[in-house]
Amino acid sequence: MAEPERTERRLRPAPLLFEPSESVADPEHFFDLESIEDPRELLARATELTLAFRAAQDRAVEFQALAAAQLADPRRFDRLSPALIAEQAEWTEDYAHKMIEFGETLQRGAGTP
C-alpha cells in the first residue's frame, strides 16, 4: 500500500532570541520567559517555542537520516556499517538501519527536507 502524501504543513519556527552569555548562565533563564508576567503572553510565547523546537527536531532527524544513508551508501569507498553509524550517533543498530532506510527514502525525493 502506498504511503499517504505528507499533508501536514511545515511549521515555521518562532524566532529563537539569544541573550548575552551572562543571562544564559542563570539556570532559571530560558528565552526570557521568566520575565513575562502576563499568563496569556507567557502561554503564547512558550507555545511558539514548543512548536519551534518540535519543528527543529523533525528537521534535524531528517538530516540525520540523510547523513546516515549517505554514510552507508555502498558506492562510497569509505562507507560505514550500520553498527559504526549507530555508535557514532549513539543509536542502537536497529535504529541505525531504520534511519538509513528513512534517509534513502528522503534521497529518492519522497520527503526531501
Side-chain angles (χ1 to χ4, degrees), residues 60-81:
V61 167
E62 289 176 346
F63 280 104
Q64 282 183 311
L66 283 170
Q70 291 170 1
L71 289 169
D73 188 337
R75 296 172 295 187
R76 290 178 61 109
F77 76 93
D78 61 344
R79 74 173 176 252
L80 298 179
S81 68

Side-chain angles (χ1 to χ4, degrees), residues 34-105:
E34 70 285 345
S35 69
I36 300 174
E37 295 190 19
D38 178 9
R40 285 186 174 95
E41 185 182 342
L42 178 60
L43 178 60
R45 181 63 180 148
T47 300
E48 284 178 342
L49 287 169
T50 299
L51 294 174
F53 286 125
R54 284 181 188 155
Q57 178 187 7
D58 291 346
R59 193 96 164 117
V61 167
E62 289 176 346
F63 280 104
Q64 282 183 311
L66 283 170
Q70 291 170 1
L71 289 169
D73 188 337
R75 296 172 295 187
R76 290 178 61 109
F77 76 93
D78 61 344
R79 74 173 176 252
L80 298 179
S81 68
L84 286 173
I85 292 169
E87 182 181 326
Q88 185 175 343
E90 298 180 12
W91 297 334
T92 64
E93 193 170 342
D94 286 342
Y95 187 73
H97 281 284
K98 290 177 185 190
M99 288 295 279
I100 291 166
E101 289 174 14
F102 179 43
E104 290 168 346
T105 301

